[in-house]
Amino acid sequence: MKIIGTGSALPEKVVTNEMLASFLETSDEWISTRTGIKTRRLLSHETLIDLGVEAGKKAMAASGLQGSDIDYLICSNVANTYVTPSISSIILSQIGCKCPCLDVNCACTGFIYALDIAEAFHKAKKYKNILIICTESPSRYCNWHERETSVLFGDGAGAVVVTDGDNFVDSIVTGDSHTDVLYYKRTMEFTPFDRAEERTTSLVMQGREVFKLAVRSCTRDIRTILERNNMKPEDFQYFLLHQANLRIIDSIRENMKQPVEKFPTNLQKYGNTSSASIPIMIDEMSRANMFEDGANLLLSAFGGGFVTGAAIMKWEKINYND
Ligand code: UT7
């Protein structure tokens, strides 16, 4: 399998730390030093579906494929207004595809899970051209009166098209039940037969616990995938990590004993865009011609669950005509 097209889409509205400090008891100084985030893009007039459609269309255009060439669509998303039908089935018709489609909700690890599933389809020779779209709007499940969570997130979408090739080296995904440290609950409809007490919560997060779990699990996953492929950190041009907090990325980098330049970031501009953070970064770096042809890239992410994943791929340059 290999990536032959990338795309991304961001909401128009730029929200600075200073803007947040006008209605929350926070400051640019706190947010910048604790997280690295300076601005984020938040949905205002667009929808989550619009972002997914735009990112998906850009990825298809870059790949040279039409909607009718796509054999399978995988969408990664944590929450949206539709519980059913799936977000992938809604996006499908808007990008001109008519193929099987599947949603994954693996929190911020969704992109790596989707790659892992796509690779399994390829190995089984079931589907050739697979479009992966990660479209996320965490701003819509944060409580905007809570400074602990709302300052951290941003909305956005990233997409890739994969097809036959030998560039995807390996991936691992893990699950380990720590459901209390990060969750968002919605109530179901009332029934006269089930009296279970339910309450909608906005995003609940034990920040320090998530921080520690993130550093520990990403370091473990990276070491595992390096070892089983007989590779060293020095073999990689870039480590593309989930963009949650600069300090998390820096701690993992220190564990890998690698220079800062190998750990690119976009969280300063976009905040934590959940599963979209890595594909947005891949799209922007690829379009800026930052990946060397044949370079090894290592991806690693963590998310609510706790579910985590890592992947290794070799980059092959993509020609963008737009
Ligand atoms: O995709 C996964 C999503 N989640 C994450 O990745 C989160 C991982 N965790 C983190 O990134 C960090 O734990 C945070 C950025 C969330 C918090 O940083 P921290 O250094 O762990 O701070 P803390 O939670 O220990 O809070 C320190 C202080 C507290 O005040 P006191 O108790 O020391 O008086 C908080 O109430 O900072 C206060 N605080 C804030 N102050 C200003 C918490 N949020 C804010 C805020 N502005 N936005």
Side-chain angles (χ1 to χ4, degrees):
M1 186 173 92
K2 66 175 179 183
I3 293 179
I4 54 166
T6 69
S8 60
L10 292 150
E12 204 182 324
K13 178 103 189 141
V14 179
V15 177
T16 64
N17 292 342
E18 288 82 3
M19 286 159 80
L20 299 184
S22 70
F23 62 92
L24 283 171
E25 203 181 312
T26 190
S27 62
D28 174 49
E29 204 266 332
W30 192 95
I31 302 170
S32 305
T33 53
R34 301 275 176 149
T35 71
I37 299 164
K38 297 297 278 182
T39 62
R40 70 283 294 139
R41 301 287 195 92
L42 299 182
L43 288 178
S44 55
H45 59 87
E46 319 86 341
T47 69
L48 176 78
I49 310 246
D50 295 337
L51 297 184
V53 167
E54 186 184 334
K57 281 183 175 170
K58 285 180 176 165
M60 283 197 296
S63 72
L65 298 180
Q66 312 283 321
S68 53
D69 301 321
I70 301 295
D71 301 312
Y72 208 103
L73 170 66
I74 305 175
C75 282
S76 162
N77 171 255
V78 173
N80 68 88
T81 46
Y82 280 93
V83 175
T84 192
S86 62
I87 193 163
S88 52
S89 55
I90 297 169
I91 289 178
L92 198 65
S93 62
Q94 297 189 35
I95 55 174
C97 297
K98 210 169 182 186
C99 61
C101 58
L102 168 78
D103 281 11
V104 295
N105 179 349
C106 303
C108 307
T109 314
F111 181 59
I112 295 178
Y113 262 79
L115 285 173
D116 190 70
I117 294 167
E119 167 73 341
F121 283 156
H122 263 97
K123 280 194 172 141
K125 299 198 186 317
K126 282 205 81 168
Y127 305 104
K128 185 178 170 200
N129 302 321
I130 302 176
L131 173 59
I132 298 172
I133 301 176
C134 303
T135 186
E136 302 278 16
S137 57
S139 75
R140 298 303 308 274
Y141 46 87
C142 288
N143 179 339
W144 283 91
H145 299 291
E146 283 178 8
R147 63 181 186 175
E148 290 79 5
T149 48
S150 56
V151 305
L152 304 175
F153 296 95
D155 306 327
V160 299
V161 177
V162 295
T163 192
D164 289 346
D166 294 324
N167 293 4
F168 196 79
V169 178
D170 195 11
S171 58
I172 51 171
V173 287
T174 79
D176 188 2
S177 197
H178 289 284
T179 49
D180 53 332
V181 295
L182 191 56
Y183 61 88
Y184 165 54
K185 276 167 68 173
R186 282 183 289 188
T187 52
M188 304 287 279
E189 293 300 317
F190 169 79
T191 128
F193 308 106
D194 185 348
R195 297 301 170 98
E197 284 236 348
E198 288 180 348
R199 194 168 61 86
T200 296
T201 68
S202 48
L203 189 75
V204 175
M205 187 180 72
Q206 294 174 28
R208 283 187 185 191
E209 279 315 302
V210 174
F211 192 111
K212 283 186 268 182
L213 276 166
V215 175
R216 215 182 302 141
S217 59
C218 288
T219 303
R220 175 205 62 206
D221 288 352
I222 295 172
R223 285 190 175 136
T224 305
I225 202 164
L226 287 177
E227 203 175 302
R228 79 182 196 188
N229 289 283
N230 208 9
M231 295 176 90
K232 305 181 297 300
E234 291 71 23
D235 298 333
F236 291 83
Q237 188 191 4
Y238 290 115
F239 292 75
L240 306 173
L241 304 193
H242 170 48
Q243 303 287 298
N245 185 319
L246 209 51
R247 286 157 54 220
I248 293 178
I249 294 172
D250 221 43
S251 302
I252 299 165
R253 182 186 69 75
E254 277 169 17
N255 290 341
M256 291 300 126
K257 300 187 173 53
Q258 291 298 295
V260 178
E261 307 77 66
K262 283 195 175 190
F263 287 70
T265 51
N266 66 20
L267 60 83
Q268 295 88 341
K269 287 187 294 181
Y270 305 141
N272 178 347
T273 54
S274 189
S275 71
S277 80
I278 295 178
I280 291 172
M281 191 156 60
I282 290 179
D283 180 50
E284 293 192 341
M285 292 180 71
S286 173
R287 284 173 194 267
N289 212 10
M290 289 172 72
F291 300 135
E292 285 162 16
D293 216 20
N296 290 321
L297 305 176
L298 200 152
L299 282 50
S300 169
F302 62 93
F306 228 59
V307 293
T308 74
I312 293 176
M313 63 175 85
K314 271 197 188 305
W315 193 254
E316 193 173 314
K317 275 198 194 282
I318 296 169
N319 290 319
Y320 298 90
N321 297 318
D322 48 3

